[in-house]
Amino acid sequence: MEQQTIAIIGVGIMGRGIAENLAKAGFSIQLYTRNSDKIMDMKKPGMRVFQNASDAARGADCTILCLTTDESINAIFFTDILPYLSPKTIVLDFGTTSPEVTEKLSLACLERSIEFMDCPMTGSKLAAENGQLVLMVGGTEENLQRCDKIFAACSKQQIYCGNVGQGQKVKLCLNMVQAGMLQMYIEGLVLAKKSGVPYPIYQQVIESSAANSPLASFKLQQIVEEDTETHFSIKNMNKDLNHALQMALQNQATLPLSFSLKSIYDASLNYKMGEEDFSAVSKINFLMNQVGN
């Protein structure tokens, strides 16, 4: 069987791990990111780095978008990628994109007889590196089967969500929930500290109760240990929260807790914390309560 070529557009925190796992699975990888100097270490047999997106996408059997914002997609896909794709290819959007841009991508691909699926991912940096992502897939079941080897190489699970766009919608719901969960864990930590409850006791109770979750175990430890490594940034969670709240307004959904979160993320961005891991919103909570971590 002829080796398949996959173009990956956007090789950041997540794209790097995805590329490495696809290369290990035997795919030929063509890489493009805005600052190619950051990925020159990835040049090796089976992986090529390109200086422009059009060359990376040209000739690919599959093009994976790992771009983080609507703006980055609008700036590059329709002019520098789409015209260079052949009808045989399929486009997979692994990023988290607004429903409006997802529809725009889908229609633009349809006009050129190119298949498209939205496949937003969850699992952060470590999951990308270990091929343990979870993908929320929107598109046809035929295309889901067509891409099964690609998905298997970089994810542990693919949840079929329905038609194009459904993957992005449920991903926005997920990230809104995760932002809210973390905020409640932090508020519990703040109250424990101000009440004189030691952190190990708070942690033990959380982890031994129905309130436990992988998010609690990972993020609370990150906060207490002052671990500054970015797995998923504040600016990206803020972006997804904005999309989710816009979706709520469009669908007349009343979400009081989620809308109240915006003040925390707005304050974090005002303090120039956008590149930090979203666990760092704890700093804003500690500042408001004059407690340390």
Side-chain angles (χ1 to χ4, degrees), residues 46-236:
M47 286 203 282
R48 292 188 291 168
V49 175
F50 291 84
Q51 298 295 320
N52 55 71
S54 58
D55 286 341
R58 188 181 282 110
D61 299 294
C62 171
T63 297
I64 294 177
L65 305 178
C66 283
L67 302 170
T68 56
T69 65
D70 286 5
E71 292 75 16
S72 58
I73 286 179
N74 284 324
I76 190 173
F77 181 78
F78 301 99
T79 55
D80 298 341
I81 297 173
L82 184 61
Y84 301 92
L85 299 178
S86 65
K88 70 173 183 177
T89 194
I90 183 167
V91 175
L92 306 176
D93 184 9
F94 274 36
T96 305
T97 308
S98 72
E100 292 77 17
V101 167
T102 299
E103 183 178 11
K104 184 178 176 182
L105 284 167
S106 177
L107 291 174
C109 288
L110 182 63
E111 288 176 359
R112 297 179 65 92
S113 299
I114 293 168
E115 299 293 329
F116 173 81
M117 302 186 82
D118 56 309
C119 316
M121 54 190 159
T122 189
S124 82
K125 178 182 177 181
L126 294 178
E129 291 174 350
N130 296 319
Q132 295 294 297
L133 294 169
V134 174
L135 303 176
M136 290 142 276
V137 183
T140 67
E141 293 189 63
E142 291 79 8
N143 281 333
L144 181 66
Q145 294 174 359
R146 173 183 172 181
C147 297
D148 61 350
K149 290 184 174 59
I150 295 172
F151 292 150
C154 58
S155 65
K156 66 177 182 180
Q157 186 178 8
Q158 307 87 45
I159 301 173
Y160 181 60
C161 302
N163 295 332
V164 167
Q166 292 300 101
Q168 292 292 358
K169 289 176 183 178
V170 75
K171 173 62 190 299
L172 294 175
C173 295
L174 169 66
N175 275 11
M176 182 185 74
V177 168
Q178 290 191 115
M181 287 174 64
L182 179 64
Q183 179 62 20
M184 290 311 302
Y185 289 133
I186 293 170
E187 290 188 18
L189 177 60
V190 168
L191 183 58
K193 282 181 171 293
K194 291 186 80 78
S195 303
V197 177
Y199 172 73
I201 299 298
Y202 172 71
Q203 182 184 31
Q204 184 179 5
V205 169
I206 291 292
E207 292 183 350
S208 303
S209 71
N212 191 31
S213 72
L215 184 75
S217 300
F218 186 26
K219 293 303 179 184
L220 284 174
Q221 202 65 32
Q222 214 177 348
I223 291 166
V224 171
E225 294 180 354
E226 299 185 25
D227 180 355
T228 59
E229 183 176 2
T230 299
H231 296 267
F232 187 67
S233 70
I234 286 175
K235 70 177 183 181
N236 283 336

Side-chain angles (χ1 to χ4, degrees), residues 3-72:
Q3 185 182 43
Q4 282 191 302
T5 298
I6 300 176
I8 300 180
I9 309 298
V11 191
I13 289 176
M14 305 298 284
R16 178 178 282 267
I18 291 167
E20 294 283 2
N21 282 304
L22 287 170
K24 288 176 186 175
F27 294 98
S28 175
I29 308 300
Q30 300 182 167
L31 303 172
Y32 169 79
T33 203
R34 186 169 55 183
N35 184 353
S36 60
D37 290 342
K38 292 184 177 181
I39 60 170
M40 283 302 173
D41 62 303
M42 299 182 72
K43 291 179 68 174
K44 61 185 76 170
M47 286 203 282
R48 292 188 291 168
V49 175
F50 291 84
Q51 298 295 320
N52 55 71
S54 58
D55 286 341
R58 188 181 282 110
D61 299 294
C62 171
T63 297
I64 294 177
L65 305 178
C66 283
L67 302 170
T68 56
T69 65
D70 286 5
E71 292 75 16
S72 58

